[in-house]
Amino acid sequence: MKLHGFIVLIIMITLSACGEKDSSTSSVKDTPTVPSISAGGEYTLSAKSNGTLWAWGSNWSGQLGNGTTENKHSPVQVGSSTNWRTVSSGRSHAVALKTDGTLWAWGFNSYGQLGDGTITDRYTPVKIGSSNSWAVVSAGQMNSLAIKSDGTLWAWGSNSSGQLGTGTFNEQDTPVQIGSSTNWSKVSAGGYHTAALRNDGTLWAWGFNGYGELGDGTTEIKLTPVQIGTATDWSDVSVGYYHTVAIKSDGTLWAWGSNDDGKLGDGTYIHKSIPIQIGIATNWQSVNAGRHHTVALKTDGTLWAWGYNQFGQLGTEDNLEKNTPIQIGTATDWKCATVGDVHTAALKINGTLWTWGRNINGELGDGTTNNKNIPVQIVLSSTDSLPQ
């Protein structure tokens, strides 16, 4: 399917943004210098290999960043800059980094989630502060988190459930540092809770915990980061609205929190308040949690999904929910995936982009508003070379 002359050209390192080591999870130690793609609430953003930024889907609060509030069913360029490095899509706002280490944001801003000191929606990217040492960004439901190159962690926006980690419920309209640690390596902002890794392999979480999504064995809100267990071998983490998924360095997959729709993947619909291993496979590479579904990649290049599937967001050719991981097709050349509310986007190793799930606002980017329950390629032009 042609995209009205648009060409999506993307590569990645490992996996909420695809192209970053996380959907919303990013990593300092894997800080990328390559493009990324990120699925948001009902829209998608992509940085191309030439440094330009593109967007499509829902745009009611300016989250596409193109200066309008009109939905787009095909990609449109965001401004004219050619030095975008990576982007992270929240529910209706976005945060992004340029190659010079500056931080930018746009879209819905009623809770200060853009970090520009206001609560005014922005329809085009605005620079946040003067720092040029930002290394990682992650946009959540109505908040944002980021890590600087010195390993410090920062947060801003909505804080109704303590998801910022500041020790209070107060909103913040500019970035504030979380604690004093300087060894944060990865962060994932979700609906109402947050999880992050330190470079010593420890896992930390904070915010809403009504379903046990923090993984500390309780259902109590935590206003500051708390360590989850004593393990020091966590390698990846991603949070959804009310559940969390993670991978250890031995390739095992773990999940906890809300299990409505089977999104934990353990074969049940029972909530879990501590991490439980999903299956026995030891070749999981990366994982992304969405609102009610989860997608993960194995080291053999196969892509797997489970959870809610009303709109075909699992990509399994039907609309039936799954409570254990099911392989998406038979392809063995997937490279990363990014999960939105009810749609999914992924890249193959040859740089081709594929999308599936709900498409009522054009968030799949194929020029239509028809839902897709199998991956649909967003065709690259033959005039552009694929990334190496």
Side-chain angles (χ1 to χ4, degrees):
M1 297 178 197
K2 294 187 177 179
L3 285 178
H4 302 265
F6 173 78
I7 307 187
V8 178
L9 191 58
I10 312 165
I11 56 176
M12 57 85 68
I13 291 179
T14 46
L15 182 68
S16 208
C18 186
E20 291 273 317
K21 183 71 177 169
D22 146 296
S23 331
S24 278
T25 305
S26 305
S27 170
V28 167
K29 64 183 178 182
D30 293 322
T31 298
T33 58
V34 297
S36 69
I37 183 168
S38 180
E42 298 171 344
Y43 68 107
T44 310
L45 297 168
S46 169
K48 287 175 63 177
S49 59
N50 62 6
T52 58
L53 184 63
W54 299 78
W56 57 96
S58 175
N59 196 28
W60 66 274
S61 59
Q63 60 263 47
L64 298 190
N66 68 334
T68 77
T69 56
E70 299 175 359
N71 293 353
K72 300 295 180 182
H73 303 156
S74 301
V76 294
Q77 187 171 352
V78 180
S80 58
S81 296
T82 57
N83 64 336
W84 293 104
R85 195 195 81 193
T86 187
V87 63
S88 180
S89 307
R91 180 64 183 86
S92 300
H93 77 289
V95 288
L97 299 181
K98 289 189 175 182
T99 55
D100 60 4
T102 56
L103 174 67
W104 299 72
W106 59 95
F108 189 53
N109 195 30
S110 290
Y111 299 91
Q113 58 262 53
L114 300 189
D116 67 343
T118 78
I119 54 171
T120 303
D121 294 352
R122 304 293 183 181
Y123 303 145
T124 58
V126 294
K127 186 179 178 182
I128 308 305
S130 58
S131 175
N132 61 357
S133 61
W134 296 103
V136 168
V137 289
S138 182
Q141 163 84 340
M142 291 175 291
N143 67 313
S144 306
L145 287 102
I147 300 174
K148 288 188 176 182
S149 56
D150 62 4
T152 56
L153 178 64
W154 301 72
W156 59 99
S158 175
N159 198 26
S160 59
S161 298
Q163 60 264 48
L164 297 188
T166 59
T168 75
F169 292 105
N170 299 330
E171 295 173 4
Q172 303 291 334
D173 58 17
T174 58
V176 295
Q177 186 174 346
I178 306 306
S180 58
S181 296
T182 58
N183 63 342
W184 295 103
S185 64
K186 186 178 301 181
V187 65
S188 180
Y192 302 96
H193 74 293
T194 305
L197 298 181
R198 290 184 177 176
N199 57 25
D200 59 5
T202 57
L203 174 63
W204 301 71
W206 58 97
F208 188 69
N209 196 26
Y211 299 93
E213 54 263 62
L214 299 189
D216 68 343
T218 77
T219 54
E220 300 172 358
I221 287 176
K222 301 297 188 298
L223 301 182
T224 58
V226 295
Q227 186 176 348
I228 307 309
T230 59
T232 59
D233 58 348
W234 295 103
S235 63
D236 194 17
V237 66
S238 179
V239 302
Y241 267 48
Y242 301 111
H243 77 295
T244 307
V245 287
I247 295 175
K248 288 188 174 183
S249 57
D250 62 3
T252 56
L253 176 66
W254 301 72
W256 56 98
S258 171
N259 202 16
D260 293 339
D261 310 303
K263 53 184 172 283
L264 296 188
D266 69 339
T268 77
Y269 296 95
I270 301 171
H271 307 324
K272 306 295 190 302
S273 62
I274 59 172
I276 57 167
Q277 187 174 344
I278 306 305
I280 59 174
T282 58
N283 63 339
W284 293 103
Q285 177 176 307
S286 59
V287 64
N288 261 227
R291 185 166 188 163
H292 297 293
H293 75 294
T294 308
V295 177
L297 178 72
K298 287 187 175 182
T299 55
D300 61 5
T302 58
L303 193 62
W304 301 71
W306 57 98
Y308 187 59
N309 196 30
Q310 180 179 350
F311 302 99
Q313 59 265 46
L314 299 188
T316 54
E317 300 187 55
D318 59 36
N319 294 76
L320 303 176
E321 66 183 36
K322 308 292 190 296
N323 64 8
T324 58
I326 182 170
Q327 187 176 346
I328 299 174
T330 59
T332 58
D333 58 348
W334 294 104
K335 204 162 189 180
C336 69
T338 174
V339 181
D341 272 8
V342 282
H343 77 290
T344 307
L347 300 179
K348 291 192 173 183
I349 59 175
N350 64 0
T352 55
L353 168 66
W354 301 71
T355 59
W356 58 96
R358 193 171 71 171
N359 196 29
I360 190 172
N361 295 297
E363 51 263 59
L364 300 188
D366 67 346
T368 78
T369 56
N370 300 323
N371 299 339
K372 306 294 190 301
N373 62 14
I374 59 172
V376 175
Q377 186 180 349
I378 308 305
V379 177
L380 294 170
S381 167
S382 60
T383 61
D384 251 337
S385 60
L386 292 172
Q388 300 300 313

